[in-house]
């Protein structure tokens, strides 16, 4: 087996502070912020003269992390509108929460938009998708049993 563990999911956003606010309101903890640039960054992402501001957040249990980044340079040239959930490759993260309705209402002032409706799957889950920073879809899952 080659995978040891999943380290993190990364999301490029336009407004780093707003995205941090969204994920902190969701219940994640800010681990730190940094600016990265230089040859190693250019090699890693295959862009020249890249400079990005980044933030790393972790879930309360410490097992999952989200990396948020915004690029000072090069400037992105291909911003896409928010695609529907069935488009291949769309970023989608899911989090177990205490209460889906309450969590969504707390995220709404941070720009969250409900994708469809909050629905229940039998007696197991109450589940809703919220579109968050940079169009990423956040699944909010409430365990019912």
């Amino acid at each position: 087996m080659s995978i040891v563990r999943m380290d993190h999911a990364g999301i490029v956003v336009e407004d780093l502070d707003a995205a941090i606010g969204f994920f902190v309101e969701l219940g994640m903890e800010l681990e730190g912020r940094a600016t990265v640039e230089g040859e190693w960054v250019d090699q890693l992402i295959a862009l020249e003269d890249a400079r990005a501001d980044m933030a790393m957040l972790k879930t309360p249990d410490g097992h999952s992390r989200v990396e948020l980044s915004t690029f000072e340079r090069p400037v992105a040239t291909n911003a896409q509108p928010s695609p529907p959930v069935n488009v291949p490759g769309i970023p989608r993260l899911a989090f177990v929460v205490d209460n889906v309705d309450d969590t969504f209402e707390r995220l709404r002032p941070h720009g969250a938009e409900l994708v469809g409706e909050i629905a229940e799957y039998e007696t197991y889950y109450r589940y809703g998708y919220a579109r968050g920073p940079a169009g990423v879809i956040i699944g909010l899952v409430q365990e019912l049993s």
Side-chain angles (χ1 to χ4, degrees), residues 62-86:
H63 294 296
S64 300
R65 295 163 63 203
V66 172
E67 171 193 289
L68 302 172
S69 57
T70 186
F71 282 81
E72 180 180 318
R73 61 178 192 260
V75 175
T77 58
N78 190 359
Q80 298 293 322
S82 299
V85 299
N86 64 340

Side-chain angles (χ1 to χ4, degrees), residues 48-112:
E48 289 186 29
D49 195 32
R51 178 181 170 95
D53 294 320
M54 300 173 52
M56 190 65 78
L57 297 103
K58 67 179 180 180
T59 55
D61 66 3
H63 294 296
S64 300
R65 295 163 63 203
V66 172
E67 171 193 289
L68 302 172
S69 57
T70 186
F71 282 81
E72 180 180 318
R73 61 178 192 260
V75 175
T77 58
N78 190 359
Q80 298 293 322
S82 299
V85 299
N86 64 340
V87 172
I90 187 168
R92 188 166 68 192
L93 307 173
F95 297 91
V96 174
V97 298
D98 292 335
N99 183 299
V100 169
D101 300 281
D102 177 64
T103 302
F104 176 70
E105 288 306 317
R106 288 188 299 107
L107 293 176
R108 189 187 300 268
H110 295 273

Side-chain angles (χ1 to χ4, degrees), residues 13 15-24 57 68 133:
V13 299
D15 185 335
L16 186 60
D17 290 327
I20 290 169
F22 178 92
F23 283 97
V24 166
L57 297 103
L68 302 172

Side-chain angles (χ1 to χ4, degrees), residues 26-59:
L26 180 60
M28 297 189 81
E29 177 185 332
L30 179 64
E31 283 188 305
R33 293 178 72 148
T35 300
V36 296
E37 63 184 324
E39 186 177 343
W40 76 273
V41 174
D42 295 352
Q43 289 174 324
L44 178 65
I45 63 174
L47 294 172
E48 289 186 29
D49 195 32
R51 178 181 170 95
D53 294 320
M54 300 173 52
M56 190 65 78
L57 297 103
K58 67 179 180 180
T59 55

